[in-house]
Amino acid sequence: MELTGSQILIECFKEQGVDTVFGYPGGAILNVYDELYKHSDEIRHILTSHEQGASHAADGYARATGKVGVCLATSGPGATNLVTGIATAYMDSVPMVAITCNVGKGLLGRDSFQEVDISGITMPITKHNFIIKDAEALAPALRKAFAIARSGRPGPVLVDITKNATADKAEYEYRKPEEPKRVTDTIKEEDIEKALEMIQKAERPFIFVGGGSVISGASEAVNAFAHKVHAPVCDSLMGKGAFNGTDPLYTGMLGMHGTKASNFGVAHCDLLITLGARFSDRVTGDTNRFAKKAKILQIDIDPAEINKNVLVNGSVIGDVKSVLDILNEKLPELKHDAWVEEVEALKNQYPLKFDDDRLTGPYVVEELYRVTKGDAVITTEVGQNQMWAAQYYKYKEPRTFLTSGGLGTMGYGLGASIGAKIGRPDKTVVNVAGDGCFRMNMNEIATAARYNVPIIELVLNNHVLGMVRQWQTLYYGERYSATVLNDQVDFVKLAEAMGAVGIRVTKKDEVAPAIEKAISLGRPVVLECVIDSDDKVFPMMSPGAPLEETFDADDLKK
């Protein structure tokens, strides 16, 4: 049948199972929005306060559900406002399709009103992108876009459509999308045999779980593997929840703000088994001194990650779940009692701790964990709030901790929490934020209020840019250049002005009742917890230092 380009776009959305899109209209994309209006009973459109909020919401929706997130924007500044969100998704391998509309084909390349080469701008931060100038090319490109976004190592794809292509007509015929196939053809028998040999020879193995384990749906396989190998387990920021954070074998996060048990354990293991992690500099510190006593076995879907940051002794390229299924079938039950007890002693010797005499970020996160029984979806901003949420909330399941790991995007979490709550309405969704990050995209509280999306924006307000201030304290002689936010912004009044509920907490005994109230209201809530400006995230490893030099507040006093 013959349809306009805009109608084809909507039909392709329906083909791909899209039920929600996030966006902001404008002149070049008006034809698409006119068609969305006619299909509002089939596809829900969430009008965000800013295009960046739309991209983060699509990202949060994708991470929480495992589906492809979709965001829309018009030409020029509308399209460029998506760039930060696209880059965030790219760095963390999030499946997302960004639809932008451009000026008409005849106006391209003439510096026309609101014209920008968004395809050129986003080329380095997308898996692929398309420029569609004719309606006939639209359906094939959209189908490819969704397939590319969700296949292999996922990521964002941009489709830029000229306005004439949204209005012109072309033939359309329904096609059922192909289910994405797991990458298994790269799994070589000799690599599996070497991996098995390395694992069985090890006396002090340590397992490092990364975001690829979440993406591949490998959680059950990871848990089975850890117990079969009988090895302690640490994770990256992106890997949280792939291994049960309440399991006795779990030692906490690895890296700059990882636990001493994880950092010291990896420094002294003889085999580091890495499952879907890319050895970020925030994890390794000095790569020349990273896990020097260990052989390294890396399992990853992306061959480009092998030997990129850290040289490894063995690797298996392929879908993490598929590889672990093979290894779990072939491995005998192993025992490493002395090693597991040694790492358990490290956990007991170096527990996470904070000043319990006053209201602090860690105390708030621990209370959040207790009240929600560890069953909430937690999104975060970036900085101290992010690290405390990673350290003090125990993640038992994958897709329950959503954070900007690779790009470190301040302002990510609020939009992501809206997308996550829409994707997982059965879950309590809390965005753990700092006051600096909240200022970045606080306008999305109005979005949550407009649609009555009952997210909780938990603001740890220390009136400073906390993580930057921490570095200024430790490395810049306490010169607090442009990091003090001690002004007159009232977050409670701000929340109320936007149609949400505002609650302020200044004492420890107020925290749990405030969280319980926020959950019970069934409305968007801004819960402000006022903490000290000089609270710090510990443990910490200085940039470029080895894991063995991780320090905490007690070490600084000494």
Side-chain angles (χ1 to χ4, degrees):
M1 56 182 166
E2 197 174 55
L3 299 177
T4 66
S6 296
Q7 291 171 324
I8 290 170
L9 176 63
I10 299 301
E11 293 303 318
C12 285
F13 280 171
K14 288 155 65 176
E15 276 182 11
Q16 300 295 329
V18 175
D19 54 22
T20 306
V21 297
F22 305 87
Y24 206 96
I29 202 169
L30 270 176
N31 291 330
V32 172
Y33 270 81
D34 190 52
E35 206 57 44
L36 269 174
Y37 181 86
K38 300 170 189 174
H39 292 268
S40 57
D41 59 333
E42 297 171 282
I43 298 173
R44 185 182 186 188
H45 177 271
I46 301 297
L47 175 65
T48 55
S49 299
H50 190 284
E51 290 92 351
Q52 187 181 130
S55 62
H56 293 328
D59 176 303
Y61 177 93
R63 294 195 206 211
T65 64
K67 301 177 184 177
V68 177
V70 179
C71 56
L72 310 175
T74 194
S75 63
T80 58
N81 281 343
L82 293 179
V83 169
T84 297
I86 293 170
T88 301
Y90 182 73
M91 289 289 280
D92 291 343
S93 304
V94 178
M96 188 166 83
V97 171
I99 306 291
T100 56
C101 286
N102 217 321
V103 298
K105 180 168 63 171
L107 294 173
L108 287 175
R110 299 186 179 188
D111 292 334
S112 303
F113 177 67
Q114 290 194 332
E115 180 198 358
V116 73
D117 178 13
I118 192 62
S119 178
I121 289 168
T122 59
M123 191 172 291
I125 54 167
T126 51
K127 273 188 80 176
H128 196 79
N129 57 31
F130 298 86
I131 306 173
I132 306 302
K133 301 176 185 178
D134 299 290
E136 292 84 1
L138 190 51
L142 287 166
R143 289 165 182 150
K144 285 181 184 177
F146 278 88
I148 292 168
R150 63 165 69 98
S151 66
R153 180 178 180 171
V157 177
L158 179 120
V159 183
D160 189 37
I161 312 166
T162 57
K163 187 166 185 178
N164 61 283
T166 66
D168 295 343
K169 290 189 174 183
E171 284 295 319
Y172 166 81
E173 185 177 337
Y174 170 83
R175 286 190 189 174
K176 185 179 179 180
E178 291 184 16
E179 287 295 315
K181 296 177 181 176
R182 292 186 179 274
V183 177
T184 58
D185 56 338
T186 55
I187 302 173
K188 297 178 180 178
E189 184 64 31
E190 58 265 35
D191 292 339
I192 291 289
E193 290 303 319
K194 184 173 182 180
L196 289 167
E197 182 185 356
M198 291 174 72
I199 294 166
Q200 290 178 84
K201 280 186 175 179
E203 295 179 359
R204 300 189 308 279
F206 216 116
I207 298 169
F208 173 38
V209 180
S213 299
V214 174
I215 293 166
S216 72
S219 181
E220 287 186 14
V222 169
N223 281 271
F225 178 74
H227 285 275
K228 201 156 199 181
V229 176
H230 194 221
V233 180
C234 62
D235 55 21
S236 69
L237 200 62
M238 303 309 303
K240 292 211 157 290
F243 184 76
N244 187 339
T246 65
D247 191 291
L249 289 175
Y250 181 65
T251 63
M253 193 164 60
L254 179 69
M256 180 170 282
H257 292 292
T259 62
K260 283 189 172 183
S262 293
N263 287 3
F264 294 169
V266 168
H268 293 99
C269 71
D270 66 357
L271 176 66
L272 182 62
I273 308 166
T274 303
L275 309 178
R278 59 185 178 83
F279 296 118
S280 155
D281 60 292
R282 282 298 192 265
V283 161
T284 63
D286 182 356
T287 52
N288 293 319
R289 292 185 283 175
F290 176 72
K292 291 306 291 182
K293 296 179 181 179
K295 291 183 177 180
I296 298 176
L297 170 63
Q298 186 176 7
I299 298 169
D300 204 282
I301 198 169
D302 188 352
E305 293 299 341
I306 308 300
N307 293 320
K308 184 177 86 174
N309 294 327
V310 171
L311 294 178
V312 302
N313 304 92
S315 63
V316 184
I317 298 167
D319 172 73
V320 172
K321 182 181 183 302
S322 300
V323 174
L324 287 180
D325 285 344
I326 296 169
L327 293 176
N328 284 337
E329 187 178 337
K330 292 177 177 286
L331 273 172
E333 296 282 344
L334 302 174
K335 281 291 178 187
H336 301 101
D337 291 333
W339 171 238
V340 169
E341 287 171 13
E342 183 180 333
V343 175
E344 185 65 27
L346 287 174
K347 287 166 63 177
N348 294 330
Q349 184 179 356
Y350 302 113
L352 290 171
K353 57 184 178 179
F354 57 89
D355 184 351
D356 200 35
D357 293 330
R358 56 189 176 81
L359 181 59
T360 63
Y363 177 82
V364 173
V365 174
E366 281 199 343
E367 284 297 278
L368 177 64
Y369 175 75
R370 188 183 63 79
V371 170
T372 61
K373 299 180 173 61
D375 290 328
V377 171
I378 305 298
T379 66
T380 80
E381 300 296 347
V382 170
Q384 290 181 322
N385 63 85
Q386 179 186 36
M387 293 299 107
W388 287 326
Q391 291 173 328
Y392 290 94
Y393 200 99
K394 298 178 179 69
Y395 300 93
K396 298 177 285 187
E397 299 174 2
R399 303 193 180 281
T400 55
F401 180 68
L402 318 182
T403 193
S404 173
L407 197 64
T409 305
M410 291 177 69
Y412 164 80
L414 178 51
S417 71
I418 293 171
K421 183 64 180 176
I422 288 170
R424 294 292 310 274
D426 57 311
K427 287 285 192 179
T428 296
V429 177
V430 182
N431 181 44
V432 180
D435 49 319
C437 292
F438 183 42
R439 292 160 184 263
M440 290 276 185
N441 280 334
M442 63 170 67
N443 48 3
E444 298 305 337
I445 289 294
T447 305
R450 179 186 298 117
Y451 297 100
N452 196 31
V453 181
I455 52 99
I456 299 169
E457 173 77 358
L458 198 166
V459 182
L460 302 174
N461 187 359
N462 55 9
H463 298 96
V464 293
L465 299 178
M467 187 61 85
V468 186
R469 181 184 177 89
Q470 178 166 332
W471 280 49
Q472 288 173 330
T473 301
L474 295 174
Y475 305 114
Y476 290 86
E478 300 183 7
R479 294 181 293 278
Y480 300 120
S481 175
T483 51
V484 178
L485 306 175
N486 197 10
D487 50 29
Q488 302 304 311
V489 178
D490 186 323
F491 291 146
V492 171
K493 289 180 179 178
L494 181 87
E496 293 168 350
M498 290 189 178
V501 177
I503 303 171
R504 180 175 293 115
V505 164
T506 59
K507 299 175 183 175
K508 285 177 62 179
D509 60 6
E510 297 172 340
V511 174
I515 294 170
E516 290 165 357
K517 179 181 178 181
I519 293 171
S520 69
L521 286 172
R523 293 178 58 191
V525 176
V526 175
L527 172 53
E528 178 190 16
C529 299
V530 181
I531 64 173
D532 191 88
S533 298
D534 283 311
D535 282 356
K536 293 178 178 62
V537 177
F538 288 119
M540 182 176 182
M541 176 178 69
S542 294
L547 294 174
E548 299 95 310
E549 293 180 12
T550 300
F551 63 89
D552 56 23
D554 291 339
D555 295 320
L556 284 181
K557 290 174 186 175
K558 294 173 188 175

